[in-house]
Each structure stands twice: as structure tokens, then as C-alpha cells.
Amino acid sequence: MTTSKVPSLKFPDGFLWGAATAAHQVEGGNFNTDCWTLEVTKPSLFLEPSGDAVDQWNRFADDMAVLSAVGMKSYRFSVEWARIEPEQGKFSVAALDHYQRCINACLERGIEPVITMHHFTLPLWVVRGGGFGAPSFPDLFARYCEKVARSLRGISVVCTINELNVPLLVRELIESRLMGPASAARIELAEKALGAPLKTSFLFSPAEALIDNGLSAHAKARDAIKSVLPQAKVGVTLAIQDEQAEPGAEHIRDKRVADYITPFLNGVRGDDFIGVQTYTRAVARKDGSAGPTPGHRITVMGYEDRPQALAQVCRYVWEQTKTPIVVTENGWAGNDDRRRCEFIRDSLTELHAAINDGVDVRGFFYWSLLDNFEWLVGYAPKFGLIAVDRSTQRRSLKQSALVYGQIARDNAIQGAAAAALSDAASETQGRLGGGALGIG
Ligand code: BGC
């Protein structure tokens, strides 16, 4: 079957197509952070330690070769504060040089690097000083961001803080993990190892620390970056689910939105862009809970498997803020790569319709480029377009990488049929030849 007879859903010129990762989830050996410390404290709140992760610290350029070969145009990755400023006020030239080499590896291949300054992990000295809640936090964060902006060449798009609001979205989940018979002892051990209360670690931060200090840290960092790089586009990213309600539970949904979405949208309206990160829909119920619709297919993350959620959220964010959107994360976790292909196609088809209706979306970053360390739940959930055998660190392309790469190359979905996607994939597979890349 050829793809020529099916309609082509063209995206706007200059639409940025990429994939995303975060330092702690892929680099490996990120010792000087709160998360590493919590992972290796026994018994741990984390299912397993990140360890070598997928060794992107040493394999960055190889990963960029693959990303560009399959057709993507951009890579969103984070630089690690704990490596760049391992002690307060002391900056590591070696770490900055490393990230310069990463940026160069992108630029040499025509890949636009999108840099995230903070993606969940904090240097130990920051948590020991009070984390996001410390009065000094906004200035410390802005100083670090300014240092990065001054030191690294080739940066034009920056996300200051990844999912500034996510601790509020996952609070119930985290609290449920912290309950149970052994938890008081686990928390005590965790706090002893950190040398600070658990709430100084980003994922455990309370609302005030995020809404007051977090938004102020973002604003100061944005201004500091722009003072050095006036042309740079700077935004924050937010975790936003498609919040819906069963009849009679609208007030529950509205409270959820008021708690974890509205203060943040109000705080960043008018930025260069808002990074939207959507994985699912949550339906509020009259008993006060919210989650997947009963009976609906769910992913290994326990999320309702709902590709339509992304476009719904983009419509909502646009309506509320009239601020350009970059989808900085959207993806599907599980081993059924065929379903991942469908999920990507369906999310993008809905997104295309939203763009046609006037929603200003400038780019899309699939989460994640590689299977990687999924925080508290370790390595089991597989989000990647590229699989990694962690016993050898060998990469192998999944079909979804080829499908998505073809969409990126065409700047269009060539028809809505799954068959068309397979055609696209096999064309790309033929062109690339797995062997040439030394992968799968
Ligand atoms: C985070 C990622 C995470 C992904 C999938 C987002 O909340 O930014 O670090 O791996 O969701 O759960």
C-alpha cells in the first residue's frame, strides 16, 4: 500500500520535532544529588537505583547520530546542576565543557538543542540549604542558569524548570508510597542520608515552595538567561492532565485544576512559550478521587491510555493563556511498540486538528528518546523510541522511532491509517539499515 492516496496532515513550517530525556534518567553516576542519595539508602523509597542509567554521559554523540538519522530535528535534554555547581558558588569547567560538547554534537548534525536547567534532581548542598522552599532558592537558581547561559554557546531554547507543578499532581501517589508499616523508619533513614527533611527534595516539595519560590525562581532565571542571551526563547514546563469529571463531580475537577494548574498558568502567561507535558486524562469522581475511567485500557504507568488527552490540554492552555505552546513531553509506556506507534499517530492527529483550530503549538517532543530510569519505579516502564540493553548499553531502534522519524521528516502525518505508518517505517528501515548504525 502506498501513502500517496491518503490525505496528508501537514504541520506548520518550522514546527520543531524532537525527543526528550533528562540528565538523571540517562547519564548515569549522578552521585551528588538528592535522588541518588535516596536511591542508594537502604531500604529506599525508590524501587531500584539509577546506577549507570543508559550511560548517555559517554554516548551522547552516538545517540545524536541515531536521532538525526531517523529524522528528528531537535533534542531536549537537561544539564545537571549538581555537576555544574557541585559546591555552592564553585562551578565545574569540566562539566560545562562536557555539556558544550553535547551541544556541539547536536549542532554538527543540524539538531536544535533544547536545554532544561532543572529536571527533578537537586545538588545535595541545595537540599541541605532548604531546597525550593529556601528564601535564597530563586537567586541561587538564577545565578546557576546565568552561568550556564554565559558559558555555553549555541543555546537558543531553554526550559528553566521541568514540571514545576508536578509534586502537587503526584502528591497522593507519593504519600501512599510513604505510608505503611515500614515508612516511618524509611523516611527517617532518607532524611538522615540527605541531611535535610524530605520536603527539601523537589518531588516532595509543598505547594508554597513551588507556587511562591518556584515561580519566582523561574522568573528570575528567565530574566537572567535573557540578560545574557536576549534572543533565546525561555519557558517553564508544566505537568497537565486532561482533567474531566463524571456528572456531579465537576467541583472535584475544578479544585484539582485550581490546585495544580491555575496558579502556574497565571504565573507564566506571556512567557515565550509554555512547555506542556501531558500523558493522560484524569476523570474526577463523586467520592473525591480522580483517575482512569473504569474499564478503559490503561498503560503500565496505570494511566488511562488516551492519546486525545494532549490536544485537549493544549486547547485548554491556549484558551487560558494565549501563550505559544511547545509540547515538551508526551509519550506512551509499555512493551507493545505497535500501540506506541498508534498512540503517537493519534496524539499528533488530534494535535494537528487543534493547531488548525488556531491553537499556537510550535513543537512536539516525544518522551522519551530512550528507555530510561523512571524515577521511583525504576527501569521497568519503557517509554523509549530506542530500547537499551543495560547489560551492554547496546541500543536498538523500535519501529516507533522509524514511524515518528518519518513524521518529523515529512513535517506531516501522511494519512491516518496504521498501514501508512508501517510503509513509512519500512521505507526508513530500508534507507538506514540497522547494521550501518551498529544498532539492533
Ligand atoms: C517527567 C519525566 C518522566 C515522565 C514519564 C514526566 O513527569 O518529566 O522525567 O520520566 O513524566 O513519567
Side-chain angles (χ1 to χ4, degrees), residues 21-22 25 76 119-120 162-163 166 170 237 239 277 279 301 303 329 333 367-368 372-375 383:
T21 60
Q25 295 177 270
R76 173 177 174 243
H119 195 126
F120 293 3
N162 178 70
E163 295 190 342
V166 81
V170 299
T237 84
Q277 309 199 164
Y279 287 89
M301 295 296 286
Y303 301 154
E329 286 184 27
W367 182 274
S368 176
N372 64 43
F373 181 68
E374 184 50 33
W375 306 109
F383 277 95

Side-chain angles (χ1 to χ4, degrees), residues 82-95:
R83 297 192 196 267
I84 292 174
E85 192 179 1
E87 285 177 64
Q88 182 167 355
K90 298 205 173 130
F91 292 92
S92 162
V93 173

Side-chain angles (χ1 to χ4, degrees), residues 408-427:
R409 202 173 343 200
D410 293 343
N411 195 31
I413 306 173
Q414 303 285 0
L421 291 173
S422 320
D423 271 4
S426 46
E427 275 166 31

